[in-house]
């Protein structure tokens, strides 16, 4: 396994043998089983696999969130070596954003809802960094998690719009035994908060059950979830949404197909989760 920093080094390895297929898993590190599930899928689908680790400053709209974001590169490297990854790309901030950097990629409509409202500039930061990662690495396939459903949908749109060559693969959300979606931010929860954080999954499951039992009213589904979250004293709702999975526009009435998603603060830590119904 090679660990590389520069764009030139990535390209040299990637194109050593042009007939091999490559998978790329872009991450911000602090790897957990959710990330590893993407890596495992990439190892199945491709001849070679690369993982990028870069805590992307321009997608953080909150400085405190960026500063407290967990970093554990040595542990990450060990985990990836064990899985049999071929390359780890750890670009520096200087490599990704050299002096006078001024080019951004902005997907318009689909980033104006959900995380786009709650975290101004976040999605533009994501699409810009993913553009550069894909442009430099040119993987056959790139892997993203359904955990960040809007991010996955926006990247698929961007790749279609700008005719990137890579195929975008979206993999299911990995969860702890009690349902909490795995996230690098979970390590920041204290034991009491960790317990409280299960409220997101409980709310989503309640909405899913109601939908499966025939409930189609979007407002009612949101009320159900709101009541469950509000009953947890450590939780504060940022948003709860029932949106069209295709365009991410909020559904006002009947939900036949829906992306049910939420962002909830547990103490200071903002967690997101989602499920789909009818898809
Ligand atoms: P991050 O390091 O948070 O930027 O995540 C890197 C990739 O891993 C993104 O495509 C995420 O959607 C994905 N990911 C994060 N958590 C999970 C999870 N629990 N299950 C599946 N994929 C995940």
């Amino acid at each position: 396994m090679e660990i590389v920093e520069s764009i030139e080094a990535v390209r040299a390895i990637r194109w050593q043998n042009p007939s091999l297929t490559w998978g790329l898993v872009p991450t911000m590190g602090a790897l957990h089983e959710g990330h590893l599930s993407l890596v495992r899928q990439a190892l199945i689908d491709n001849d070679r696999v690369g993982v990028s680790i870069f805590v992307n400053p321009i997608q953080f709209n909150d400085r405190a969130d960026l500063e407290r974001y967990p970093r554990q590169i040595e542990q990450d490297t060990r985990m990836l070596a064990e899985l049999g990854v071929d390359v780890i790309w750890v670009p520096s901030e200087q490599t990704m954003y050299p002096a006078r950097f001024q080019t951004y990629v902005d997907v318009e409509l689909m980033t104006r809802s959900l995380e786009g409202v709650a975290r101004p500039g976040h999605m533009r930061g994501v699409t810009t960094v993913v553009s550069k990662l894909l442009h430099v690495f040119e993987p056959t396939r790139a892997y993203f998690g359904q955990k960040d459903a809007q991010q996955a949908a926006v990247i698929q749109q961007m790749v279609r719009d700008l005719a990137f060559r890579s195929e975008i693969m979206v993999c299911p959300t990995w969860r702890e035994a009690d349902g909490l979606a795995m996230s690098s931010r979970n390590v920041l929860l204290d034991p009491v908060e960790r317990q409280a954080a299960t409220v997101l999954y409980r709310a989503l499951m309640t909405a899913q059950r109601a939908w499966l039992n025939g409930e189609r009213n979007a407002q009612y589904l949101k009320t159900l979830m709101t009541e469950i979250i509000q009953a947890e004293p450590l939780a504060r709702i940022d948003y709860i949404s029932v949106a069209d999975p295709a365009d991410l526009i909020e559904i006002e009435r009947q939900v036949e197909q829906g992306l049910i998603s939420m962002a909830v603060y547990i103490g200071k830590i903002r967690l997101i989760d989602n499920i789909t119904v009818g898809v």
Side-chain angles (χ1 to χ4, degrees):
M1 184 179 75
E2 291 191 69
I3 302 176
V4 295
E5 194 284 307
S6 74
I7 289 171
E8 296 70 31
V10 168
R11 288 192 164 138
I13 295 171
R14 165 66 179 95
W15 294 110
Q16 218 165 19
N17 180 347
S19 65
L20 295 179
T21 60
W22 276 85
L24 174 66
V25 183
T27 80
M28 299 204 298
L31 302 180
H32 50 67
E33 276 299 317
H35 296 113
L36 300 188
S37 72
L38 306 189
V39 174
R40 289 196 185 95
Q41 188 60 49
L43 286 163
I44 291 169
D45 297 342
N46 303 279
D47 300 318
R48 299 281 184 271
V49 170
V51 174
S52 62
I53 299 179
F54 180 63
V55 182
N56 177 31
I58 71 165
Q59 75 184 66
F60 285 81
N61 53 315
D62 174 359
R63 193 143 194 99
D65 187 28
L66 172 62
E67 277 163 15
R68 76 164 89 87
Y69 199 83
R71 291 163 173 86
Q72 44 181 54
I73 188 73
E74 272 154 35
Q75 185 179 318
D76 292 347
T77 308
R78 265 200 312 279
M79 290 162 97
L80 295 173
E82 269 170 37
L83 283 185
V85 162
D86 299 282
V87 177
I88 306 180
W89 181 21
V90 190
S92 67
E93 215 169 306
Q94 176 62 26
T95 292
M96 294 309 280
Y97 303 113
R100 299 181 56 241
F101 182 92
Q102 52 197 296
T103 305
Y104 296 85
V105 177
D106 186 22
V107 175
E108 294 193 343
L109 298 178
M110 289 171 78
T111 63
R112 303 301 185 249
S113 56
L114 305 171
E115 294 293 290
V117 178
R119 303 181 68 189
H122 166 69
M123 280 292 163
R124 185 177 89 139
V126 169
T127 46
T128 300
V129 80
V130 171
S131 294
K132 186 155 182 176
L133 294 171
L134 293 182
H135 184 59
V136 170
F137 204 108
E138 296 183 72
T140 318
R141 302 179 186 85
Y143 293 78
F144 295 89
Q146 176 65 20
K147 158 79 172 24
D148 300 275
Q150 184 179 23
Q151 170 176 295
V154 164
I155 288 168
Q156 283 175 308
Q157 184 70 41
M158 175 186 87
V159 162
R160 271 199 300 277
D161 286 350
L162 299 182
F164 280 75
R165 275 172 172 263
S166 306
E167 184 180 359
I168 301 304
M169 313 294 284
V170 181
C171 302
T173 303
W174 275 64
R175 299 179 178 282
E176 302 288 353
D178 61 9
L180 177 66
M182 290 186 185
S183 163
S184 303
R185 288 188 176 84
N186 292 353
V187 299
L188 303 172
L189 300 166
D190 71 28
V192 180
E193 291 170 339
R194 170 65 188 79
Q195 181 54 38
T198 59
V199 76
L200 283 84
Y201 187 63
R202 279 189 278 125
L204 290 171
M205 284 298 103
T206 302
Q208 184 185 57
R209 222 173 304 124
W211 188 90
L212 289 171
N213 287 331
E215 180 59 58
R216 291 293 181 273
N217 184 307
Q219 282 311 327
Y220 181 73
L221 292 173
K222 282 196 263 192
T223 304
L224 268 182
M225 292 187 283
T226 303
E227 283 171 358
I228 292 171
I229 307 275
Q230 282 176 344
E232 170 49 64
L234 293 180
R236 182 166 59 81
I237 296 170
D238 191 353
Y239 66 77
I240 290 183
S241 158
V242 179
D244 184 325
D247 57 19
L248 308 184
I249 292 173
E250 205 60 24
I251 297 173
E252 300 300 337
R253 291 161 192 265
Q254 297 289 102
V255 193
E256 292 309 331
Q257 295 189 319
L259 171 67
I260 304 181
S261 65
M262 59 178 61
V264 174
Y265 283 93
I266 303 292
K268 285 199 171 90
I269 308 306
R270 184 174 183 276
L271 300 177
I272 60 171
D273 200 352
N274 70 84
I275 54 163
T276 55
V277 290
V279 177

